[in-house]
Amino acid sequence: MGKLRPEKEEHLAPCHTRRPRSLWNLLLLLWTFLNCGLGGNAQGPGEWTPWGSWSRCSSSCGRGLSVRSRRCIRFPREELCWGDTHEYRLCQQPDCPPGAMPFRDLQCALYNGHPVLGTQKTYQWVPFYGAPNHCDLNCLAVGHDFYHSFGRVLDGTPCSPGAQDLCVAGRCLSAGCDGLLGSDAREDRCGRCGGANDSCLFVQRVFRDAGAFAGYWNVTLIPEGARHIRAAHRSRNHLGIAGSEGGGAPLAARIPRGGRWQGRGDGQGHFQGARADPSLAALMGGDGRYVLNGNWAVSPAGTYEAAGTRVVYTRATGPEETLRAAGPTSQDLLLQVLLQEPNPGIEFEFWLPRERYGPFQAQAQVLGWSPRQPQPREVEPQPLESPTVIPPRTPIPTPEPCPPCPDTRGRAHRLLHYCGSDFVFRARVLGRVRQAQETRYEVHVQLIYKNRSPLRALEYVWAPSRCPCPPLALHRDYLLAARRLISPDGTQDRLLLPHAGYARLWSPAEDSRVRLAARHCPL
């Protein structure tokens, strides 16, 4: 991305001291000594100015990019600021009119009729996509068997035809869910950009009920707003999804083995006499009509529209069926099974917003189901089990508030924990679980300052209390000093964050301080 140029740096006057002549001057000298560097050593990185405003979109139609910049302000002995001077984001303009020349074609066409290659001969140029770097302006001479590279393409040029990635400063970058090019931000299972799956619950169950007759049986209600839906089984029975108008759900319908069910929008219908293929899954829309495999008629495997999302239906050569949908659903759906033989079990799962779980559970109980309790993200996956009746919840006593944490600020505390720890690293907190008398954090390691053994990108960090000090907030970046704790029998190998240990919110200034602390540790 953009590099900081010397002419964009701004220097401040260096710190200065005066010869101490009194106690006041002595204190001032000590303050200046601590703030202007330890013994004249190099300072940490400078400070960024606020981001400027976003530029206009680089394209007048279709997809383009806009850019904003910032400057680094630093003292003469300070390092350059950490990070990029420029930031790029996607911008979407109205669709280009039919027949409009693509952006890369236009750039190649600018060289039509101009001498190149050191001769007076001219050519007509069109884009060439077979070269290694897609962000170079590689153009093929029309009617000839060679191409020429005219340098980099302009920023905002698609990397290849139909690609979502764009070229920026000669690099092909994709956009994160935040719209920033080069960002690694991704949507979590709840649909939140950069989230940690903590705003939704994971519902998972195996439906094992066996009906007394062949026909459609309710498996589960899939509420509005559900995401990452999956249902699968291995048998001659067949899945179906029905829409539920008004939030209700049709009851199981008895279908004679030799008959054909003719449904209507009100959930009623009649039978017709033709027997259908036994391999059948059904999908019904919000008007009460099946979207696929309804009424004992076989639908081909493929993608179907239902409740505002696309349902991918696959049917293997053996007795296996799968339904998948990314969601979110725009209305309630009813997952059903068409029983042809004893039910060996139907696995289903989806992610549901927390605020929708209560109504979902109430509807499921009214319909006679007892769905398994949903699992939040931080709960370890449990083996699939048969559904059981959920006992009434007993009131949980409110835990006592956590006492205030001791003050851990200061250079001495930083040196103590940096030098005495096995690991010092920068990490983002993704999740938090309190269990027994411990707290477990799931963190994404971003930068390692010190390690006595390898660290993985995703690690668990344990704090020995339900009220860890200092507490770590979700989705924030911290500088952490941790110790390695191995149990006597060797079955547990943990990263331990001691009570009142070193855990500071990451900042360029804190980064500078921890790098200076590394120089003062004994060998």
Side-chain angles (χ1 to χ4, degrees), residues 277-290:
D277 189 298
S279 297
L280 190 62
L283 181 68
M284 187 183 291
D287 57 358
R289 298 179 182 178
Y290 288 102

Side-chain angles (χ1 to χ4, degrees), residues 1-3 8 48-57 65-71 84-90 155 168 178-181:
M1 306 284 283
K3 299 296 182 181
K8 292 191 177 181
W48 288 109
T49 63
W51 284 106
S53 58
W54 289 101
S55 68
R56 297 180 60 182
C57 191
L65 61 85
S66 59
V67 60
R68 64 178 182 177
S69 61
R70 58 181 177 176
R71 294 180 297 172
D84 298 317
T85 58
H86 292 77
E87 197 170 53
Y88 303 85
R89 72 176 180 183
L90 287 177
D155 288 348
V168 176
D178 53 5
L180 297 180
L181 289 164

Side-chain angles (χ1 to χ4, degrees), residues 127-199:
F128 176 69
Y129 295 99
N133 190 348
H134 291 175
C135 289
D136 284 344
L137 184 58
N138 303 304
C139 302
L140 179 70
V142 178
H144 300 272
D145 57 356
F146 68 91
Y147 73 93
H148 182 68
S149 178
F150 293 97
R152 293 177 178 175
V153 296
L154 296 178
D155 288 348
T157 303
C159 298
S160 58
Q164 299 298 310
D165 304 339
L166 297 180
C167 291
V168 176
R171 299 169 55 199
C172 186
L173 300 179
S174 59
C177 58
D178 53 5
L180 297 180
L181 289 164
S183 166
D184 59 357
R186 297 292 180 266
E187 282 192 355
D188 66 0
R189 309 298 282 183
C190 314
R192 291 179 55 189
C193 183
N197 298 342
D198 54 358
S199 64

Side-chain angles (χ1 to χ4, degrees), residues 57 59-65 89-96 164:
C57 191
S59 176
S60 59
C61 65
R63 299 169 71 245
L65 61 85
R89 72 176 180 183
L90 287 177
C91 50
Q92 185 66 47
Q93 301 286 80
D95 291 341
C96 295
Q164 299 298 310

Side-chain angles (χ1 to χ4, degrees), residues 414-473:
R414 184 184 306 107
L415 285 173
L416 174 66
H417 284 278
Y418 187 97
C419 300
S421 297
D422 299 315
F423 305 93
V424 180
F425 54 93
R426 174 187 175 184
R428 165 159 288 202
V429 180
L430 302 180
R432 178 184 60 226
V433 180
R434 293 186 176 93
Q435 36 185 280
Q437 296 301 314
E438 296 179 309
T439 301
R440 188 192 74 190
Y441 295 102
E442 182 182 359
V443 301
H444 176 213
V445 178
Q446 298 176 328
L447 181 63
I448 299 173
Y449 299 87
K450 174 184 177 182
N451 63 310
R452 294 183 178 173
S453 60
L455 284 174
R456 296 172 296 180
L458 293 178
E459 290 279 4
Y460 285 136
V461 176
W462 298 80
S465 173
R466 288 183 58 85
C467 295
C469 283
L472 305 184

Side-chain angles (χ1 to χ4, degrees), residues 7 29 32 44 66 74 80 116 174 226 243 267 288 333 359 441 485 491 494:
E7 63 270 20
L29 175 63
T32 306
S66 59
R74 66 189 186 95
L80 297 180
V116 295
S174 59
L333 292 174
Y441 295 102
L485 182 64
T491 59
R494 292 180 169 182

